[in-house]
Amino acid sequence: DLDTFYANGPRLGAVTGWANLDAVVNFGTGQLALVTGRSNDGKSEWVDELVLRLMLRTGWNAAFWTPENGLLDHSRKVIEKLTGRDFVHRGTSGVQPAQYALCKRWMNRRLCWLDLPFDQLRLDIILERCRTMVRKYGIRILVLDPFNFIEKENNAQRSENAWDSHVIGAIRSFAIENDVMVILVAHPRKVEMQVDGRRRRITIEDISGTADFGNKADYCFCVDRDDEHKVVTVSVDKVRNKLLGTRGQAFFVYQMAS
């Protein structure tokens, strides 16, 4: 294996087409990417756009587990991002029927959703269903959004932080064993203001729970929206494999229709 690796060189990661982010990091399978940010700062929207860009450039298929979103609403967001148009259509504005039909065919071939009732949100059920999707649909990207919807199974022998650490380790093992890039979205705890009253930047240390979120992840991204300047900063706080990038920042603005 080492001889083959030496002869062929490392497998380079995929890029997104966002020149500002591609200059900092690229994306490989068999990795756990952690994304955090304040509530309503747009981390899930950024993740959706990231996944679609990787899918369109690589041919990878993807699966989403997004219990905070209804399946219809999340499908709407995907179509808006694919077309760059508002889903609500009137006349020549919005997503047109031919565009809608094309997006629906593409989504049917390339995307799937894990939809579980709230009494079946245990880690073992989620990962087993995801293994089935890997085998059946060739999934290469899996989004778990958000972490706190995974049911906690604490007992007298395991603290809450120890359980969180176990879950993160199990998800990373799943990524490696199935050669899948797993994107895990985790909410931060309440973040204090700076002394001047302004919001400070979110870091991986702000994630609610164990420090192993940052320790065990291969990538760590922090999404921070500045409403005053209408700019979103995505800070790359960790890239474990130096062949896949380094620490840095990329700046974005939102196109509100999509």
Side-chain angles (χ1 to χ4, degrees), residues 72-121:
L72 285 178
D73 195 48
H74 195 243
S75 297
R76 170 189 63 81
K77 293 179 181 180
V78 169
I79 292 173
E80 287 180 334
K81 287 176 172 58
L82 288 171
T83 61
R85 287 169 168 253
D86 196 317
F87 191 76
V88 177
H89 56 289
R90 296 184 182 88
T92 58
S93 68
V95 178
Q96 297 301 293
Q99 295 172 323
Y100 170 73
L102 183 63
C103 289
K104 195 170 68 166
R105 288 198 301 271
W106 184 85
M107 292 163 63
N108 192 49
R109 294 194 309 269
R110 305 284 306 281
L111 275 174
C112 56
W113 281 265
L114 178 60
D115 188 22
L116 292 172
F118 278 91
D119 60 350
Q120 295 185 27
L121 299 186

Side-chain angles (χ1 to χ4, degrees), residues 70-244:
L71 295 186
L72 285 178
D73 195 48
H74 195 243
S75 297
R76 170 189 63 81
K77 293 179 181 180
V78 169
I79 292 173
E80 287 180 334
K81 287 176 172 58
L82 288 171
T83 61
R85 287 169 168 253
D86 196 317
F87 191 76
V88 177
H89 56 289
R90 296 184 182 88
T92 58
S93 68
V95 178
Q96 297 301 293
Q99 295 172 323
Y100 170 73
L102 183 63
C103 289
K104 195 170 68 166
R105 288 198 301 271
W106 184 85
M107 292 163 63
N108 192 49
R109 294 194 309 269
R110 305 284 306 281
L111 275 174
C112 56
W113 281 265
L114 178 60
D115 188 22
L116 292 172
F118 278 91
D119 60 350
Q120 295 185 27
L121 299 186
R122 298 200 318 270
L123 177 68
D124 58 339
I125 294 177
I126 293 170
L127 293 185
E128 184 53 40
R129 289 285 296 275
C130 291
R131 285 189 190 94
T132 300
M133 290 192 293
V134 170
R135 293 192 296 267
K136 188 173 182 180
Y137 302 114
I139 297 305
R140 304 300 301 280
I141 306 174
L142 171 65
V143 177
L144 303 175
D145 180 10
F147 173 84
N148 64 298
F149 269 70
I150 300 174
E151 182 181 324
K152 293 187 182 296
E153 301 173 34
N154 299 329
N155 52 46
Q157 287 73 43
R158 180 180 281 160
S159 67
E160 182 173 347
N161 280 356
W163 168 251
D164 289 350
S165 179
H166 163 72
V167 172
I168 300 160
I171 293 172
R172 184 169 186 264
S173 295
F174 174 90
I176 295 170
E177 292 165 5
N178 295 277
D179 195 26
V180 170
M181 185 177 77
V182 179
I183 301 176
L184 177 64
V185 179
H187 295 306
R189 63 179 183 271
K190 185 177 180 180
V191 180
E192 69 278 2
M193 293 289 188
Q194 298 181 127
V195 292
D196 60 2
R198 299 174 67 87
R199 302 197 315 177
R200 69 168 177 82
R201 180 176 87 76
I202 291 286
T203 70
I204 56 177
E205 284 80 17
D206 291 316
I207 298 173
S208 179
T210 176
D212 279 342
F213 278 104
N215 295 338
K216 292 186 175 182
D218 298 292
Y219 301 89
C220 290
F221 299 94
C222 301
V223 179
D224 194 40
R225 188 176 74 200
D226 183 343
D227 288 327
E228 180 182 351
H229 298 97
K230 308 298 183 185
V231 172
V232 177
T233 303
V234 175
S235 300
V236 184
D237 279 3
K238 178 183 179 181
V239 183
R240 185 189 302 276
N241 185 344
K242 69 178 183 180
L243 299 176
L244 296 176

